[in-house]
Amino acid sequence: MADGCDSRNAGIAKALKPSETITLPRKNWKVSEREYHRTFIMSQAMMLDALMTDVYRNLEGIENQGLDVNFTALNFKTLYVIGRKQYATKPEGAVMVGPRTEHLPIISYTGWYERQNWNEFLGETLSVMLGQLAQNMTIRTGKAGVQDQEAFVVGFHGPHVHIARAFFAADLVARVHPRGCSRDEVIELKFTRGYDLSLKRDWLDATRALARLFRYLLSGRAKVAAIQGYLNRPSNTAGKSM
C-alpha cells in the first residue's frame, strides 16, 4: 500500500500500474520542487487542454446534451476535508460543465516534474480527485440520498499521458460531505496505460480512450454529481424529450 505522504525516492516514469491503493494524502500540495518547475507543468496543462478540446470537438452526437462544456489550462484551488481539517490542492486545469458562474470540474488535469517520486504522484492525483469530489457535492443531482461517485484525472507521468479513475462509494461520500474523510480511509486508483503522444499508435489509442471517457461522462450514466445535476435540471428536460 502506498502512503500519499511517504517521501521514499521512487521514480514514476515507467511505474504506472492498472490499479493502486493509497491512504488519503494529509498535506497541502504546495511543493517547493513543483513550483520550481511551474513553467514546465504549465506547458503540460496547455497540451492536455488542447488534446481534450480537440477530442471533444471531433465527437459526434453529444452537442445536444444540454450541457455547457468548457476547458481551462489555468490551475485553481480546491478544498477537501480529512479528519475535520481542511486541505488544499491545485489541479492544473480541467474540463468543466455548467454556466460560467457555476463551473464544476468533471475531468481534472495533473502535471509531472522530474524529481517527483511515485508516492508523491499518487498522493497528488488523489488529492485532486478529492477536491473535484468536494466541488461536485455542492450541486443537487435530483436523486434521493447520497449516490456513488466517480472522479477522473488526465495527466502526464514522464513523457506519457494517462487517465486515472477513483470510485467513491455512497457510504464514503456520505461521511466525507459533512465531516470529511477519516484519517485511515483507503482509496483505490485505477489507471490506463501510459500513451506516448509522439507515436502514431499511442496517439490514436489515447484519443480513442478519451473519446470513450467523454461519451461515458456525457451520456448521463457516469456517477459524477455535476453532470447528473445539470442533466436533471428542468431546463434540460425538454431538450432530452425531443
Side-chain angles (χ1 to χ4, degrees):
M1 182 182 301
D3 187 336
C5 297
D6 195 335
S7 59
R8 289 175 295 177
N9 185 18
I12 68 166
K14 295 184 179 179
L16 209 62
K17 301 175 182 179
S19 179
E20 184 76 74
T21 54
I22 178 173
T23 52
L24 294 179
R26 296 186 295 275
K27 66 185 295 184
N28 289 305
W29 287 95
K30 185 175 182 180
V31 182
S32 58
E33 184 78 12
R34 184 178 189 81
E35 295 306 308
Y36 179 77
H37 295 285
R38 171 51 42 195
T39 301
F40 176 52
I41 294 172
M42 286 176 61
S43 69
Q44 296 172 48
M46 289 188 288
M47 290 175 64
L48 290 172
D49 200 54
L51 174 63
M52 300 299 285
T53 302
D54 185 63
V55 170
Y56 175 75
R57 288 179 177 172
N58 281 284
L59 289 176
E60 296 180 356
I62 64 170
E63 295 296 335
N64 296 320
Q65 293 292 331
L67 287 169
D68 184 10
V69 179
N70 297 276
F71 302 81
T72 180
L74 299 176
N75 66 17
F76 55 93
K77 184 168 72 172
T78 61
L79 304 172
Y80 60 95
V81 178
I82 299 176
R84 299 184 183 275
K85 184 175 180 180
Q86 192 174 73
Y87 297 87
T89 186
K90 281 189 175 182
E92 301 303 330
V95 181
M96 297 184 166
V97 296
R100 185 178 298 275
T101 57
E102 301 176 17
H103 283 173
L104 293 173
I106 59 172
I107 306 171
S108 297
Y109 308 154
T110 56
W112 168 86
Y113 56 93
E114 188 174 358
R115 293 187 180 87
Q116 185 183 38
N117 67 49
W118 176 241
N119 293 308
E120 289 171 341
F121 166 76
L122 289 175
E124 183 177 359
T125 299
L126 181 55
S127 72
V128 166
M129 289 176 165
L130 290 170
Q132 180 175 310
L133 175 65
Q135 281 199 302
N136 272 249
M137 294 310 296
T138 63
I139 189 170
R140 294 182 180 274
T141 64
K143 298 181 180 180
V146 177
Q147 307 294 315
D148 296 341
Q149 291 294 305
E150 298 171 283
F152 295 92
V153 160
V154 173
F156 274 97
H157 56 95
H160 301 91
V161 170
H162 64 274
I163 302 170
R165 171 190 179 266
F167 175 80
F168 300 92
D171 63 334
L172 171 60
V173 176
R175 296 196 306 275
V176 169
H177 189 41
R179 302 187 301 275
C181 307
S182 66
R183 292 180 178 273
D184 57 353
E185 214 77 65
V186 176
I187 305 294
E188 182 182 31
L189 303 183
K190 292 189 175 182
F191 297 92
T192 63
R193 72 175 182 88
Y195 303 103
D196 183 345
L197 300 183
S198 67
L199 302 176
K200 181 178 179 180
R201 180 176 177 180
D202 276 21
W203 173 272
L204 292 173
D205 286 348
T207 55
R208 288 166 183 157
L210 291 170
R212 288 193 297 270
L213 175 57
F214 270 122
R215 290 189 182 280
Y216 173 62
L217 286 168
L218 302 179
S219 69
R221 300 192 308 272
K223 298 175 176 64
V224 177
I227 294 173
Q228 295 166 344
Y230 287 124
L231 284 179
N232 291 330
R233 283 188 172 183
S235 59
N236 288 324
T237 304
K240 292 169 68 176
S241 63
M242 292 176 64

PDB file of all heavy atoms in Angstrom, residues 1-5 8 12 15-17 19-23 25 29 116-129 189-191:
ATOM      1  N   MET A   1       0.850  -1.193   0.000  1.00  0.00           N
ATOM      2  CA  MET A   1       0.000   0.000   0.000  1.00  0.00           C
ATOM      3  C   MET A   1       0.880   1.236   0.000  1.00  0.00           C
ATOM      4  O   MET A   1       1.858   1.309   0.721  1.00  0.00           O
ATOM      5  CB  MET A   1      -0.897  -0.006   1.241  1.00  0.00           C
ATOM      6  CG  MET A   1      -1.860   1.172   1.308  1.00  0.00           C
ATOM      7  SD  MET A   1      -2.828   1.133   2.822  1.00  0.00           S
ATOM      8  CE  MET A   1      -3.620  -0.452   2.641  1.00  0.00           C
ATOM      9  N   ALA A   2       0.524   2.205  -0.797  1.00  0.00           N
ATOM     10  CA  ALA A   2       1.315   3.426  -0.876  1.00  0.00           C
ATOM     11  C   ALA A   2       0.728   4.488   0.023  1.00  0.00           C
ATOM     12  O   ALA A   2      -0.476   4.650   0.101  1.00  0.00           O
ATOM     13  CB  ALA A   2       1.344   3.931  -2.316  1.00  0.00           C
ATOM     14  N   ASP A   3       1.579   5.213   0.714  1.00  0.00           N
ATOM     15  CA  ASP A   3       1.140   6.306   1.567  1.00  0.00           C
ATOM     16  C   ASP A   3       1.370   7.604   0.825  1.00  0.00           C
ATOM     17  O   ASP A   3       2.480   7.892   0.390  1.00  0.00           O
ATOM     18  CB  ASP A   3       1.937   6.293   2.873  1.00  0.00           C
ATOM     19  CG  ASP A   3       1.421   7.310   3.875  1.00  0.00           C
ATOM     20  OD1 ASP A   3       0.793   8.301   3.465  1.00  0.00           O
ATOM     21  OD2 ASP A   3       1.655   7.112   5.057  1.00  0.00           O
ATOM     22  N   GLY A   4       0.325   8.431   0.672  1.00  0.00           N
ATOM     23  CA  GLY A   4       0.441   9.662  -0.083  1.00  0.00           C
ATOM     24  C   GLY A   4       1.436  10.632   0.504  1.00  0.00           C
ATOM     25  O   GLY A   4       1.889  11.544  -0.169  1.00  0.00           O
ATOM     26  N   CYS A   5       1.798  10.477   1.782  1.00  0.00           N
ATOM     27  CA  CYS A   5       2.736  11.393   2.418  1.00  0.00           C
ATOM     28  C   CYS A   5       4.139  10.805   2.479  1.00  0.00           C
ATOM     29  O   CYS A   5       5.052  11.428   2.982  1.00  0.00           O
ATOM     30  CB  CYS A   5       2.258  11.720   3.833  1.00  0.00           C
ATOM     31  SG  CYS A   5       0.687  12.563   3.860  1.00  0.00           S
ATOM     32  N   ARG A   8       9.529   8.320   0.032  1.00  0.00           N
ATOM     33  CA  ARG A   8      10.527   7.393  -0.486  1.00  0.00           C
ATOM     34  C   ARG A   8      10.883   7.758  -1.920  1.00  0.00           C
ATOM     35  O   ARG A   8      10.030   8.141  -2.713  1.00  0.00           O
ATOM     36  CB  ARG A   8       9.996   5.954  -0.429  1.00  0.00           C
ATOM     37  CG  ARG A   8       9.898   5.403   0.978  1.00  0.00           C
ATOM     38  CD  ARG A   8       9.260   4.035   0.972  1.00  0.00           C
ATOM     39  NE  ARG A   8       7.880   4.116   0.511  1.00  0.00           N
ATOM     40  CZ  ARG A   8       7.107   3.054   0.348  1.00  0.00           C
ATOM     41  NH1 ARG A   8       7.572   1.851   0.576  1.00  0.00           N
ATOM     42  NH2 ARG A   8       5.863   3.208  -0.054  1.00  0.00           N
ATOM     43  N   ILE A  12       8.763   7.551 -11.283  1.00  0.00           N
ATOM     44  CA  ILE A  12       7.430   7.204 -11.763  1.00  0.00           C
ATOM     45  C   ILE A  12       7.355   7.091 -13.273  1.00  0.00           C
ATOM     46  O   ILE A  12       6.309   6.753 -13.806  1.00  0.00           O
ATOM     47  CB  ILE A  12       6.385   8.240 -11.309  1.00  0.00           C
ATOM     48  CG1 ILE A  12       6.634   9.577 -12.009  1.00  0.00           C
ATOM     49  CG2 ILE A  12       6.363   8.383  -9.817  1.00  0.00           C
ATOM     50  CD1 ILE A  12       5.488  10.530 -11.877  1.00  0.00           C
ATOM     51  N   ALA A  15       6.366   3.624 -13.955  1.00  0.00           N
ATOM     52  CA  ALA A  15       5.819   2.893 -12.815  1.00  0.00           C
ATOM     53  C   ALA A  15       4.299   2.792 -12.804  1.00  0.00           C
ATOM     54  O   ALA A  15       3.739   2.194 -11.903  1.00  0.00           O
ATOM     55  CB  ALA A  15       6.280   3.558 -11.509  1.00  0.00           C
ATOM     56  N   LEU A  16       3.627   3.381 -13.783  1.00  0.00           N
ATOM     57  CA  LEU A  16       2.170   3.414 -13.744  1.00  0.00           C
ATOM     58  C   LEU A  16       1.596   2.004 -13.792  1.00  0.00           C
ATOM     59  O   LEU A  16       1.995   1.185 -14.609  1.00  0.00           O
ATOM     60  CB  LEU A  16       1.631   4.225 -14.919  1.00  0.00           C
ATOM     61  CG  LEU A  16       0.301   4.925 -14.663  1.00  0.00           C
ATOM     62  CD1 LEU A  16       0.429   5.935 -13.544  1.00  0.00           C
ATOM     63  CD2 LEU A  16      -0.181   5.608 -15.921  1.00  0.00           C
ATOM     64  N   LYS A  17       0.651   1.737 -12.899  1.00  0.00           N
ATOM     65  CA  LYS A  17       0.065   0.410 -12.773  1.00  0.00           C
ATOM     66  C   LYS A  17      -1.433   0.487 -13.041  1.00  0.00           C
ATOM     67  O   LYS A  17      -2.043   1.540 -12.892  1.00  0.00           O
ATOM     68  CB  LYS A  17       0.305  -0.134 -11.361  1.00  0.00           C
ATOM     69  CG  LYS A  17       1.776  -0.226 -10.985  1.00  0.00           C
ATOM     70  CD  LYS A  17       1.935  -0.665  -9.538  1.00  0.00           C
ATOM     71  CE  LYS A  17       3.403  -0.713  -9.143  1.00  0.00           C
ATOM     72  NZ  LYS A  17       3.584  -1.105  -7.728  1.00  0.00           N
ATOM     73  N   SER A  19      -3.788  -0.574 -11.230  1.00  0.00           N
ATOM     74  CA  SER A  19      -4.525  -0.288 -10.008  1.00  0.00           C
ATOM     75  C   SER A  19      -3.543  -0.050  -8.874  1.00  0.00           C
ATOM     76  O   SER A  19      -2.483  -0.668  -8.813  1.00  0.00           O
ATOM     77  CB  SER A  19      -5.447  -1.465  -9.664  1.00  0.00           C
ATOM     78  OG  SER A  19      -6.153  -1.220  -8.476  1.00  0.00           O
ATOM     79  N   GLU A  20      -3.885   0.868  -7.980  1.00  0.00           N
ATOM     80  CA  GLU A  20      -3.027   1.187  -6.840  1.00  0.00           C
ATOM     81  C   GLU A  20      -3.904   1.658  -5.695  1.00  0.00           C
ATOM     82  O   GLU A  20      -4.856   2.414  -5.900  1.00  0.00           O
ATOM     83  CB  GLU A  20      -2.042   2.292  -7.224  1.00  0.00           C
ATOM     84  CG  GLU A  20      -1.036   2.651  -6.157  1.00  0.00           C
ATOM     85  CD  GLU A  20       0.067   1.623  -6.020  1.00  0.00           C
ATOM     86  OE1 GLU A  20       0.942   1.574  -6.889  1.00  0.00           O
ATOM     87  OE2 GLU A  20       0.031   0.875  -5.027  1.00  0.00           O
ATOM     88  N   THR A  21      -3.636   1.176  -4.474  1.00  0.00           N
ATOM     89  CA  THR A  21      -4.371   1.667  -3.315  1.00  0.00           C
ATOM     90  C   THR A  21      -3.509   2.666  -2.571  1.00  0.00           C
ATOM     91  O   THR A  21      -2.283   2.545  -2.526  1.00  0.00           O
ATOM     92  CB  THR A  21      -4.765   0.517  -2.367  1.00  0.00           C
ATOM     93  OG1 THR A  21      -3.596  -0.226  -2.016  1.00  0.00           O
ATOM     94  CG2 THR A  21      -5.782  -0.397  -3.018  1.00  0.00           C
ATOM     95  N   ILE A  22      -4.164   3.654  -1.977  1.00  0.00           N
ATOM     96  CA  ILE A  22      -3.427   4.742  -1.339  1.00  0.00           C
ATOM     97  C   ILE A  22      -4.216   5.267  -0.152  1.00  0.00           C
ATOM     98  O   ILE A  22      -5.440   5.385  -0.212  1.00  0.00           O
ATOM     99  CB  ILE A  22      -3.149   5.868  -2.364  1.00  0.00           C
ATOM    100  CG1 ILE A  22      -2.429   7.051  -1.717  1.00  0.00           C
ATOM    101  CG2 ILE A  22      -4.417   6.322  -3.050  1.00  0.00           C
ATOM    102  CD1 ILE A  22      -1.994   8.108  -2.712  1.00  0.00           C
ATOM    103  N   THR A  23      -3.521   5.556   0.944  1.00  0.00           N
ATOM    104  CA  THR A  23      -4.170   6.217   2.068  1.00  0.00           C
ATOM    105  C   THR A  23      -4.305   7.693   1.739  1.00  0.00           C
ATOM    106  O   THR A  23      -3.544   8.243   0.940  1.00  0.00           O
ATOM    107  CB  THR A  23      -3.358   6.039   3.362  1.00  0.00           C
ATOM    108  OG1 THR A  23      -2.008   6.445   3.130  1.00  0.00           O
ATOM    109  CG2 THR A  23      -3.362   4.591   3.816  1.00  0.00           C
ATOM    110  N   PRO A  25      -4.087  11.535   1.328  1.00  0.00           N
ATOM    111  CA  PRO A  25      -2.941  12.442   1.490  1.00  0.00           C
ATOM    112  C   PRO A  25      -3.268  13.598   2.420  1.00  0.00           C
ATOM    113  O   PRO A  25      -4.075  14.451   2.105  1.00  0.00           O
ATOM    114  CB  PRO A  25      -2.694  12.942   0.061  1.00  0.00           C
ATOM    115  CG  PRO A  25      -4.024  12.847  -0.609  1.00  0.00           C
ATOM    116  CD  PRO A  25      -4.739  11.685   0.020  1.00  0.00           C
ATOM    117  N   TRP A  29      -0.852  20.560  -1.166  1.00  0.00           N
ATOM    118  CA  TRP A  29       0.072  20.247  -2.256  1.00  0.00           C
ATOM    119  C   TRP A  29       0.706  21.497  -2.848  1.00  0.00           C
ATOM    120  O   TRP A  29       0.520  21.839  -4.002  1.00  0.00           O
ATOM    121  CB  TRP A  29      -0.645  19.406  -3.307  1.00  0.00           C
ATOM    122  CG  TRP A  29      -0.828  18.043  -2.772  1.00  0.00           C
ATOM    123  CD1 TRP A  29      -1.925  17.544  -2.143  1.00  0.00           C
ATOM    124  CD2 TRP A  29       0.152  17.006  -2.729  1.00  0.00           C
ATOM    125  NE1 TRP A  29      -1.697  16.262  -1.716  1.00  0.00           N
ATOM    126  CE2 TRP A  29      -0.439  15.906  -2.068  1.00  0.00           C
ATOM    127  CE3 TRP A  29       1.462  16.896  -3.184  1.00  0.00           C
ATOM    128  CZ2 TRP A  29       0.258  14.713  -1.858  1.00  0.00           C
ATOM    129  CZ3 TRP A  29       2.142  15.714  -2.976  1.00  0.00           C
ATOM    130  CH2 TRP A  29       1.541  14.640  -2.319  1.00  0.00           C
ATOM    131  N   GLN A 116       9.736  14.177  -9.057  1.00  0.00           N
ATOM    132  CA  GLN A 116       8.544  13.731  -8.334  1.00  0.00           C
ATOM    133  C   GLN A 116       8.586  12.214  -8.181  1.00  0.00           C
ATOM    134  O   GLN A 116       8.733  11.484  -9.155  1.00  0.00           O
ATOM    135  CB  GLN A 116       7.284  14.141  -9.096  1.00  0.00           C
ATOM    136  CG  GLN A 116       5.992  13.818  -8.360  1.00  0.00           C
ATOM    137  CD  GLN A 116       4.770  14.171  -9.194  1.00  0.00           C
ATOM    138  OE1 GLN A 116       4.772  13.984 -10.406  1.00  0.00           O
ATOM    139  NE2 GLN A 116       3.737  14.685  -8.560  1.00  0.00           N
ATOM    140  N   ASN A 117       8.471  11.715  -6.942  1.00  0.00           N
ATOM    141  CA  ASN A 117       8.516  10.269  -6.767  1.00  0.00           C
ATOM    142  C   ASN A 117       7.115   9.667  -6.879  1.00  0.00           C
ATOM    143  O   ASN A 117       6.108  10.376  -6.962  1.00  0.00           O
ATOM    144  CB  ASN A 117       9.214   9.886  -5.452  1.00  0.00           C
ATOM    145  CG  ASN A 117       8.440  10.295  -4.219  1.00  0.00           C
ATOM    146  OD1 ASN A 117       7.244  10.043  -4.099  1.00  0.00           O
ATOM    147  ND2 ASN A 117       9.128  10.931  -3.273  1.00  0.00           N
ATOM    148  N   TRP A 118       7.077   8.353  -6.893  1.00  0.00           N
ATOM    149  CA  TRP A 118       5.831   7.629  -7.151  1.00  0.00           C
ATOM    150  C   TRP A 118       4.754   7.953  -6.121  1.00  0.00           C
ATOM    151  O   TRP A 118       3.589   8.183  -6.454  1.00  0.00           O
ATOM    152  CB  TRP A 118       6.120   6.134  -7.174  1.00  0.00           C
ATOM    153  CG  TRP A 118       4.920   5.250  -7.337  1.00  0.00           C
ATOM    154  CD1 TRP A 118       4.469   4.315  -6.468  1.00  0.00           C
ATOM    155  CD2 TRP A 118       4.021   5.223  -8.457  1.00  0.00           C
ATOM    156  NE1 TRP A 118       3.345   3.694  -6.966  1.00  0.00           N
ATOM    157  CE2 TRP A 118       3.053   4.237  -8.185  1.00  0.00           C
ATOM    158  CE3 TRP A 118       3.947   5.933  -9.649  1.00  0.00           C
ATOM    159  CZ2 TRP A 118       2.016   3.938  -9.070  1.00  0.00           C
ATOM    160  CZ3 TRP A 118       2.909   5.638 -10.533  1.00  0.00           C
ATOM    161  CH2 TRP A 118       1.969   4.657 -10.239  1.00  0.00           C
ATOM    162  N   ASN A 119       5.121   7.994  -4.855  1.00  0.00           N
ATOM    163  CA  ASN A 119       4.130   8.230  -3.814  1.00  0.00           C
ATOM    164  C   ASN A 119       3.621   9.674  -3.825  1.00  0.00           C
ATOM    165  O   ASN A 119       2.451   9.931  -3.542  1.00  0.00           O
ATOM    166  CB  ASN A 119       4.709   7.862  -2.451  1.00  0.00           C
ATOM    167  CG  ASN A 119       4.944   6.370  -2.343  1.00  0.00           C
ATOM    168  OD1 ASN A 119       4.052   5.579  -2.594  1.00  0.00           O
ATOM    169  ND2 ASN A 119       6.161   5.979  -2.010  1.00  0.00           N
ATOM    170  N   GLU A 120       4.484  10.615  -4.164  1.00  0.00           N
ATOM    171  CA  GLU A 120       4.031  11.996  -4.332  1.00  0.00           C
ATOM    172  C   GLU A 120       3.052  12.097  -5.499  1.00  0.00           C
ATOM    173  O   GLU A 120       2.044  12.798  -5.418  1.00  0.00           O
ATOM    174  CB  GLU A 120       5.232  12.914  -4.570  1.00  0.00           C
ATOM    175  CG  GLU A 120       6.097  13.122  -3.343  1.00  0.00           C
ATOM    176  CD  GLU A 120       7.390  13.852  -3.666  1.00  0.00           C
ATOM    177  OE1 GLU A 120       7.779  13.879  -4.853  1.00  0.00           O
ATOM    178  OE2 GLU A 120       8.005  14.390  -2.730  1.00  0.00           O
ATOM    179  N   PHE A 121       3.361  11.392  -6.569  1.00  0.00           N
ATOM    180  CA  PHE A 121       2.487  11.373  -7.743  1.00  0.00           C
ATOM    181  C   PHE A 121       1.108  10.819  -7.382  1.00  0.00           C
ATOM    182  O   PHE A 121       0.073  11.401  -7.724  1.00  0.00           O
ATOM    183  CB  PHE A 121       3.140  10.533  -8.835  1.00  0.00           C
ATOM    184  CG  PHE A 121       2.220  10.144  -9.958  1.00  0.00           C
ATOM    185  CD1 PHE A 121       1.861  11.052 -10.935  1.00  0.00           C
ATOM    186  CD2 PHE A 121       1.719   8.853 -10.034  1.00  0.00           C
ATOM    187  CE1 PHE A 121       1.010  10.687 -11.972  1.00  0.00           C
ATOM    188  CE2 PHE A 121       0.874   8.477 -11.066  1.00  0.00           C
ATOM    189  CZ  PHE A 121       0.517   9.398 -12.037  1.00  0.00           C
ATOM    190  N   LEU A 122       1.076   9.692  -6.670  1.00  0.00           N
ATOM    191  CA  LEU A 122      -0.201   9.099  -6.267  1.00  0.00           C
ATOM    192  C   LEU A 122      -0.966  10.031  -5.330  1.00  0.00           C
ATOM    193  O   LEU A 122      -2.176  10.228  -5.475  1.00  0.00           O
ATOM    194  CB  LEU A 122       0.035   7.760  -5.571  1.00  0.00           C
ATOM    195  CG  LEU A 122       0.498   6.590  -6.435  1.00  0.00           C
ATOM    196  CD1 LEU A 122       0.793   5.381  -5.553  1.00  0.00           C
ATOM    197  CD2 LEU A 122      -0.542   6.239  -7.486  1.00  0.00           C
ATOM    198  N   GLY A 123      -0.249  10.599  -4.359  1.00  0.00           N
ATOM    199  CA  GLY A 123      -0.899  11.484  -3.403  1.00  0.00           C
ATOM    200  C   GLY A 123      -1.498  12.706  -4.063  1.00  0.00           C
ATOM    201  O   GLY A 123      -2.616  13.126  -3.740  1.00  0.00           O
ATOM    202  N   GLU A 124      -0.767  13.285  -5.005  1.00  0.00           N
ATOM    203  CA  GLU A 124      -1.287  14.465  -5.695  1.00  0.00           C
ATOM    204  C   GLU A 124      -2.495  14.110  -6.555  1.00  0.00           C
ATOM    205  O   GLU A 124      -3.480  14.848  -6.604  1.00  0.00           O
ATOM    206  CB  GLU A 124      -0.202  15.098  -6.556  1.00  0.00           C
ATOM    207  CG  GLU A 124      -0.685  16.363  -7.236  1.00  0.00           C
ATOM    208  CD  GLU A 124       0.399  17.042  -8.040  1.00  0.00           C
ATOM    209  OE1 GLU A 124       1.538  16.542  -8.055  1.00  0.00           O
ATOM    210  OE2 GLU A 124       0.095  18.075  -8.651  1.00  0.00           O
ATOM    211  N   THR A 125      -2.430  12.963  -7.248  1.00  0.00           N
ATOM    212  CA  THR A 125      -3.560  12.535  -8.075  1.00  0.00           C
ATOM    213  C   THR A 125      -4.819  12.384  -7.231  1.00  0.00           C
ATOM    214  O   THR A 125      -5.897  12.876  -7.591  1.00  0.00           O
ATOM    215  CB  THR A 125      -3.236  11.204  -8.778  1.00  0.00           C
ATOM    216  OG1 THR A 125      -2.091  11.379  -9.623  1.00  0.00           O
ATOM    217  CG2 THR A 125      -4.410  10.734  -9.627  1.00  0.00           C
ATOM    218  N   LEU A 126      -4.691  11.722  -6.088  1.00  0.00           N
ATOM    219  CA  LEU A 126      -5.862  11.519  -5.237  1.00  0.00           C
ATOM    220  C   LEU A 126      -6.339  12.826  -4.623  1.00  0.00           C
ATOM    221  O   LEU A 126      -7.546  13.060  -4.509  1.00  0.00           O
ATOM    222  CB  LEU A 126      -5.553  10.502  -4.140  1.00  0.00           C
ATOM    223  CG  LEU A 126      -6.719  10.183  -3.194  1.00  0.00           C
ATOM    224  CD1 LEU A 126      -7.959   9.732  -3.961  1.00  0.00           C
ATOM    225  CD2 LEU A 126      -6.312   9.123  -2.174  1.00  0.00           C
ATOM    226  N   SER A 127      -5.424  13.705  -4.240  1.00  0.00           N
ATOM    227  CA  SER A 127      -5.852  14.978  -3.646  1.00  0.00           C
ATOM    228  C   SER A 127      -6.655  15.803  -4.649  1.00  0.00           C
ATOM    229  O   SER A 127      -7.647  16.445  -4.293  1.00  0.00           O
ATOM    230  CB  SER A 127      -4.644  15.774  -3.138  1.00  0.00           C
ATOM    231  OG  SER A 127      -3.874  16.301  -4.198  1.00  0.00           O
ATOM    232  N   VAL A 128      -6.252  15.772  -5.923  1.00  0.00           N
ATOM    233  CA  VAL A 128      -7.004  16.477  -6.963  1.00  0.00           C
ATOM    234  C   VAL A 128      -8.396  15.857  -7.109  1.00  0.00           C
ATOM    235  O   VAL A 128      -9.400  16.564  -7.263  1.00  0.00           O
ATOM    236  CB  VAL A 128      -6.232  16.442  -8.296  1.00  0.00           C
ATOM    237  CG1 VAL A 128      -7.128  16.863  -9.462  1.00  0.00           C
ATOM    238  CG2 VAL A 128      -5.014  17.352  -8.220  1.00  0.00           C
ATOM    239  N   MET A 129      -8.474  14.534  -7.039  1.00  0.00           N
ATOM    240  CA  MET A 129      -9.774  13.862  -7.123  1.00  0.00           C
ATOM    241  C   MET A 129     -10.667  14.226  -5.941  1.00  0.00           C
ATOM    242  O   MET A 129     -11.874  14.426  -6.099  1.00  0.00           O
ATOM    243  CB  MET A 129      -9.570  12.350  -7.177  1.00  0.00           C
ATOM    244  CG  MET A 129      -8.979  11.859  -8.484  1.00  0.00           C
ATOM    245  SD  MET A 129      -8.655  10.084  -8.414  1.00  0.00           S
ATOM    246  CE  MET A 129      -8.420   9.712 -10.164  1.00  0.00           C
ATOM    247  N   LEU A 189      -7.059   3.639  -6.792  1.00  0.00           N
ATOM    248  CA  LEU A 189      -6.945   4.384  -8.039  1.00  0.00           C
ATOM    249  C   LEU A 189      -6.719   3.401  -9.176  1.00  0.00           C
ATOM    250  O   LEU A 189      -5.943   2.452  -9.038  1.00  0.00           O
ATOM    251  CB  LEU A 189      -5.768   5.363  -7.989  1.00  0.00           C
ATOM    252  CG  LEU A 189      -5.755   6.401  -6.869  1.00  0.00           C
ATOM    253  CD1 LEU A 189      -4.547   7.315  -7.039  1.00  0.00           C
ATOM    254  CD2 LEU A 189      -7.036   7.205  -6.858  1.00  0.00           C
ATOM    255  N   LYS A 190      -7.375   3.635 -10.295  1.00  0.00           N
ATOM    256  CA  LYS A 190      -7.173   2.803 -11.476  1.00  0.00           C
ATOM    257  C   LYS A 190      -6.645   3.672 -12.611  1.00  0.00           C
ATOM    258  O   LYS A 190      -7.078   4.812 -12.778  1.00  0.00           O
ATOM    259  CB  LYS A 190      -8.478   2.117 -11.882  1.00  0.00           C
ATOM    260  CG  LYS A 190      -8.936   1.072 -10.868  1.00  0.00           C
ATOM    261  CD  LYS A 190     -10.102   0.254 -11.386  1.00  0.00           C
ATOM    262  CE  LYS A 190     -10.449  -0.860 -10.402  1.00  0.00           C
ATOM    263  NZ  LYS A 190     -11.566  -1.709 -10.894  1.00  0.00           N
ATOM    264  N   PHE A 191      -5.715   3.111 -13.373  1.00  0.00           N
ATOM    265  CA  PHE A 191      -5.052   3.851 -14.436  1.00  0.00           C
ATOM    266  C   PHE A 191      -5.144   3.106 -15.763  1.00  0.00           C
ATOM    267  O   PHE A 191      -5.139   1.878 -15.800  1.00  0.00           O
ATOM    268  CB  PHE A 191      -3.560   4.031 -14.125  1.00  0.00           C
ATOM    269  CG  PHE A 191      -3.262   4.834 -12.896  1.00  0.00           C
ATOM    270  CD1 PHE A 191      -3.105   4.214 -11.666  1.00  0.00           C
ATOM    271  CD2 PHE A 191      -3.124   6.208 -12.968  1.00  0.00           C
ATOM    272  CE1 PHE A 191      -2.816   4.946 -10.527  1.00  0.00           C
ATOM    273  CE2 PHE A 191      -2.832   6.950 -11.837  1.00  0.00           C
ATOM    274  CZ  PHE A 191      -2.679   6.319 -10.613  1.00  0.00           C
TER     275      PHE A 191
END
